[in-house]
């Protein structure tokens, strides 16, 4: 899966926040994203990325790269 700011803001509400669930068999490429911090939500660990005005919470099991 490849995500950029335009796609994320188009599919989210006015908060521009997207949480992505997955496991080690999944991969994600973020175009122009900046890693932020990690966080815990309902017992699951997520890496947080800023993608322009959007915030992504990505399950830490997902292989994630930034382009």
């Amino acid at each position: 899966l490849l995500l950029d700011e335009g796609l994320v803001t188009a599919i989210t509400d006015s908060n521009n926040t997207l949480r992505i669930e997955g496991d080690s068999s999944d991969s994600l490429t973020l175009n122009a994203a900046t890693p932020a911090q990690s966080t815990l939500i309902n017992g699951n660990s997520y890496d947080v990325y800023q993608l322009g005005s959007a915030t992504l919470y990505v399950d830490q099991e997902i292989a994630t790269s930034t382009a």
Side-chain angles (χ1 to χ4, degrees):
L1 179 62
L2 173 63
L3 294 175
D4 63 20
E5 180 184 8
L7 179 60
V8 174
T9 57
I11 63 173
T12 58
D13 63 14
S14 62
N15 290 324
N16 295 332
T17 301
L18 180 65
R19 185 167 60 181
I20 301 171
E21 304 285 343
D23 59 34
S24 60
S25 67
D26 298 312
S27 64
L28 174 65
T29 301
L30 302 173
N31 189 15
T34 303
Q37 72 281 358
S38 296
T39 192
L40 194 63
I41 302 172
N42 296 328
N44 293 323
S45 297
Y46 295 87
D47 291 321
V48 181
Y49 295 88
Q50 287 303 130
L51 192 57
S53 63
T55 303
L56 302 175
Y57 294 88
V58 181
D59 190 317
Q60 285 185 339
E61 293 184 31
I62 298 173
T64 304
S65 62
T66 56

